[in-house]
Amino acid sequence: MIRVAIIGFGKIAADQHLPAIASDSRFELVGVATPAGDPDIGVPWYGDAAEMLAAMDGAADAIAICTPPAARYALARDALQAGFDVLLEKPPTTTLGELDALEALARAQGRVLYTAWHSQYAPGVAPAAAALAGAEIDTLHISWREDVRKWHPGQEWIWDAGGFGVFDTGINALSILSQIVAVPLLVRAATLSVPENRQAPIAATIEFVGANWQAEFDWRFDAGEEWLIQITTCDGRRVELRDGGARLLVNGVDQPLEEDREYPQIYDRFATLIDARACAVDREPLRIAADAFMVARRESVAAFR
Amino acid sequence: MIRVAIIGFGKIAADQHLPAIASDSRFELVGVATPAGDPDIGVPWYGDAAEMLAAMDGAADAIAICTPPAARYALARDALQAGFDVLLEKPPTTTLGELDALEALARAQGRVLYTAWHSQYAPGVAPAAAALAGAEIDTLHISWREDVRKWHPGQEWIWDAGGFGVFDTGINALSILSQIVAVPLLVRAATLSVPENRQAPIAATIEFVGANWQAEFDWRFDAGEEWLIQITTCDGRRVELRDGGARLLVNGVDQPLEEDREYPQIYDRFATLIDARACAVDREPLRIAADAFMVARRESVAAFR
């Protein structure tokens, strides 16, 4: 039995981590730390993460960190140093340096570090990778649009410097893309549309190396959600992931897929890694985002309130 | 004898690479490619890099790429694929993805790829690293200030998106810092001061993880140059690199140093790597820059004309 405690109990922990842990007989939830108050989920609550890490000495094996990204590095470092295995929600850290440092620490301490990019477990992703295996890609278009007011209500941290802005959402597309495209994803150019009263972008475009490879992220979309990746291959295949990877069309034909089990699969993988004492640190989505920020042309757009 | 050709013949190639190659009996300059016209340096000139790579098949062993950074990835990729060993001026590429891809290509092709961060060879750097060995660092302050009009006259590319701006200079400090500080350099926060008519910063600050670790880069300084790294250790040592690493003071006392031989040492290292068929790819300075761009708060400052 893997005794796991959660740090950060917001929407993603409540909606996803809690049921995934409950449904996996290899895991037992043994504690939760969040400054937002006792969520009353039947396990000991701590207002302070350091207090929980101390209390969990000998009482937990692993920590899942579900706070906003800015807090994760210090929490993960402390958890690894205290001897726990660590699962990081996406994006795992605010910088590549933090992720490199955590990986080095985990390996030095013999602990498991796992970057859980949930969209990589969407049911269409592995079949899409299989459909594209061996093919040369001709065109690639990502359209990742949603209403920030619907999906990030009241989240102020996403607008801060280092808060990722629309990349907090778009990085899910990048995490899928790096799984289904075999060649390196090189950022040639990017634009960031930043509200005049904020530091992080509300919309962005990325041009990749490749004749017609682009991504568009936009948080100003209120006609439902569009989470779409369209790829054509040089030998004429059309591969289309819709609904964030929940639907896959090949040459226009819907493919039969397993049911959506993103978080159960994340915990399945975590258990496998813990069993093997192996780290799984995927830095590519964060690397692509960092490259986009570094080369981006910025434009100021209407204030967001 | 290592037959080397240069792509990009601007100030750095003329002032530094040419004499360094001429003074090293292991190297022979066999060609130069630059669209700016024949520099008349006694070797065949090509207006086009691809034309030179084709002409150098069997006639050159290595290529030194001294163009602005935006062009380097494609040139280095073509040179590696054509079977040449490659030296990259700093910063080696515009993105981390490009550098990762070049390293993977070089290793797959069995070619040498060498990221030549020239400031790492400043005479004070190795002695500074020795002076700091084993010490815990208390405070760290970088002040890297110069007049952009003096040091980058007419260079428009540095102001473009992806042109690095003041980081083109400041990354020299970061390249030194990663050599003399043993712990990872983690960016906690940064500010970029961007002229209202440009895309790249004219000044920047970086706050590193560490109680009092900061860098200040500024191109609006016209009282000479200040290229200064000041470090104090927890056991009371004061280590100060001045003049970009040309002077080292320990506890206020000037240390005897070798003469300044940055580029001769770069070519000495390149010869050693070629002899050993080994790559030397240092991505840390670029990683620190990418992290700073990703988390930076931006402020608009006076137009630069």
Side-chain angles (χ1 to χ4, degrees):
Chain A
M1 184 66 81
I2 302 163
R3 298 164 300 173
V4 63
I6 292 175
I7 300 178
F9 201 79
K11 184 171 169 52
I12 201 78
D15 291 357
Q16 302 290 350
H17 288 258
L18 206 60
I21 291 168
S23 71
D24 191 321
S25 63
R26 291 165 296 182
F27 286 95
E28 179 189 8
L29 187 66
V30 293
V32 61
T34 178
D38 188 348
D40 195 21
I41 51 174
V43 297
W45 163 73
Y46 303 85
D48 178 74
E51 194 192 328
M52 184 176 81
L53 289 181
M56 288 293 144
D57 186 24
D61 308 295
I63 308 288
I65 301 181
C66 307
T67 66
R72 288 191 200 133
Y73 166 71
L75 293 167
R77 180 198 60 200
D78 292 350
L80 290 167
Q81 282 174 339
F84 299 106
D85 297 326
V86 170
L87 180 159
L88 293 168
E89 253 296 338
K90 53 71 41 177
T93 51
T94 301
T95 64
L96 290 163
E98 288 175 344
L99 188 54
D100 290 348
L102 289 179
E103 183 174 8
L105 176 62
R107 293 187 190 279
Q109 301 271 105
R111 308 320 305 176
V112 172
L113 181 68
Y114 171 39
T115 53
W117 297 98
H118 66 81
S119 290
Q120 294 181 342
Y121 297 94
V125 173
L132 290 167
E136 197 176 338
I137 290 172
D138 181 15
T139 69
L140 185 159
H141 188 75
I142 295 174
S143 179
W144 222 254
R145 302 170 203 257
E146 62 184 42
D147 183 352
V148 66
R149 295 179 196 281
K150 172 178 175 184
W151 289 93
H152 296 271
Q155 286 183 14
E156 285 297 312
W157 60 266
I158 54 173
W159 296 108
D160 293 341
F164 288 99
V166 74
F167 277 80
D168 185 71
T169 303
I171 208 164
N172 291 331
L174 302 178
S175 77
I176 293 174
L177 197 60
S178 65
Q179 295 283 300
I180 63 176
V181 171
V183 298
L185 290 157
L186 304 183
V187 177
R188 189 174 59 188
T191 62
L192 303 183
S193 302
V194 183
E196 61 185 27
N197 63 336
R198 304 288 179 164
Q199 283 290 336
I202 196 166
T205 63
I206 302 176
E207 305 280 331
F208 295 101
V209 171
N212 195 7
W213 295 25
Q214 291 130 6
E216 294 180 66
F217 305 152
D218 204 325
W219 264 350
R220 299 165 299 187
F221 188 72
D222 57 10
E225 292 78 49
E226 183 175 66
W227 298 316
L228 175 64
I229 299 176
Q230 293 170 302
I231 293 174
T232 62
T233 66
C234 293
D235 60 4
R237 267 173 278 176
R238 285 179 294 123
V239 173
E240 192 169 301
L241 279 170
R242 292 192 163 270
D243 305 343
R247 272 182 75 194
L248 172 66
L249 289 82
V250 176
N251 296 332
V253 179
D254 253 306
Q255 304 295 301
L257 298 176
E258 305 282 322
E259 62 170 332
D260 197 331
R261 296 181 67 252
E262 291 186 8
Y263 280 83
Q265 285 191 80
I266 281 174
Y267 277 91
D268 179 62
R269 179 89 193 279
F270 194 31
T272 303
L273 291 167
I274 288 171
D275 196 43
R277 308 302 315 146
C279 289
V281 176
D282 179 1
R283 73 203 301 284
E284 277 299 277
L286 195 59
R287 191 274 302 163
I288 299 168
D291 284 348
F293 273 82
M294 191 154 59
V295 306
R297 191 175 64 75
R298 273 172 179 72
E299 59 180 24
S300 187
V301 297
F304 179 84
R305 291 190 174 89
Chain B
M1 182 68 78
I2 302 163
R3 297 164 301 173
V4 62
I6 293 175
I7 300 178
F9 201 79
K11 185 172 168 53
I12 202 78
D15 292 356
Q16 302 290 348
H17 288 259
L18 205 60
I21 292 167
S23 71
D24 191 321
S25 61
R26 291 165 295 182
F27 286 94
E28 179 190 7
L29 187 67
V30 294
V32 60
T34 177
D38 188 347
D40 195 20
I41 52 174
V43 295
W45 164 74
Y46 303 84
D48 179 74
E51 193 192 331
M52 184 174 80
L53 289 182
M56 287 294 145
D57 185 23
D61 308 294
I63 308 289
I65 301 182
C66 307
T67 65
R72 287 190 201 134
Y73 166 71
L75 293 167
R77 181 198 59 200
D78 293 349
L80 290 167
Q81 282 175 338
F84 299 106
D85 297 325
V86 171
L87 180 159
L88 293 168
E89 254 296 339
K90 51 71 44 177
T93 51
T94 301
T95 64
L96 290 164
E98 289 176 341
L99 188 54
D100 290 349
L102 289 179
E103 182 173 9
L105 176 61
R107 292 185 189 278
Q109 302 270 105
R111 309 320 305 174
V112 172
L113 181 67
Y114 172 39
T115 54
W117 297 98
H118 66 81
S119 289
Q120 294 182 341
Y121 296 95
V125 173
L132 290 167
E136 195 176 341
I137 290 172
D138 183 15
T139 68
L140 184 159
H141 189 75
I142 295 174
S143 179
W144 222 255
R145 301 171 205 256
E146 62 185 42
D147 183 353
V148 66
R149 297 180 194 280
K150 172 178 174 182
W151 290 92
H152 296 271
Q155 287 182 13
E156 285 298 312
W157 61 266
I158 54 173
W159 296 108
D160 293 340
F164 287 99
V166 74
F167 277 80
D168 184 71
T169 304
I171 209 166
N172 291 331
L174 302 178
S175 77
I176 293 174
L177 198 60
S178 66
Q179 294 284 300
I180 63 176
V181 171
V183 298
L185 290 156
L186 304 183
V187 177
R188 189 174 59 189
T191 63
L192 303 183
S193 300
V194 182
E196 62 185 25
N197 62 336
R198 303 287 180 165
Q199 283 290 338
I202 195 166
T205 63
I206 302 174
E207 305 280 331
F208 295 101
V209 170
N212 194 8
W213 296 27
Q214 291 130 5
E216 294 180 67
F217 304 153
D218 205 325
W219 265 351
R220 299 166 300 188
F221 187 72
D222 57 9
E225 291 78 48
E226 183 175 66
W227 297 318
L228 174 65
I229 299 176
Q230 294 170 302
I231 293 173
T232 62
T233 65
C234 293
D235 60 5
R237 269 173 276 175
R238 284 179 294 122
V239 174
E240 192 170 300
L241 278 170
R242 292 190 163 271
D243 305 343
R247 272 182 74 193
L248 171 66
L249 288 81
V250 177
N251 296 331
V253 179
D254 254 306
Q255 305 295 301
L257 298 177
E258 306 283 319
E259 62 171 332
D260 196 332
R261 297 182 65 251
E262 290 186 9
Y263 280 83
Q265 285 190 82
I266 281 174
Y267 277 90
D268 179 62
R269 180 87 194 280
F270 194 31
T272 303
L273 291 167
I274 288 172
D275 195 45
R277 309 301 315 146
C279 288
V281 176
D282 179 1
R283 74 203 300 282
E284 277 300 275
L286 195 59
R287 191 274 301 162
I288 300 167
D291 285 348
F293 273 82
M294 192 154 58
V295 307
R297 192 175 64 75
R298 276 172 177 72
E299 58 179 25
S300 186
V301 298
F304 179 83
R305 292 187 173 91

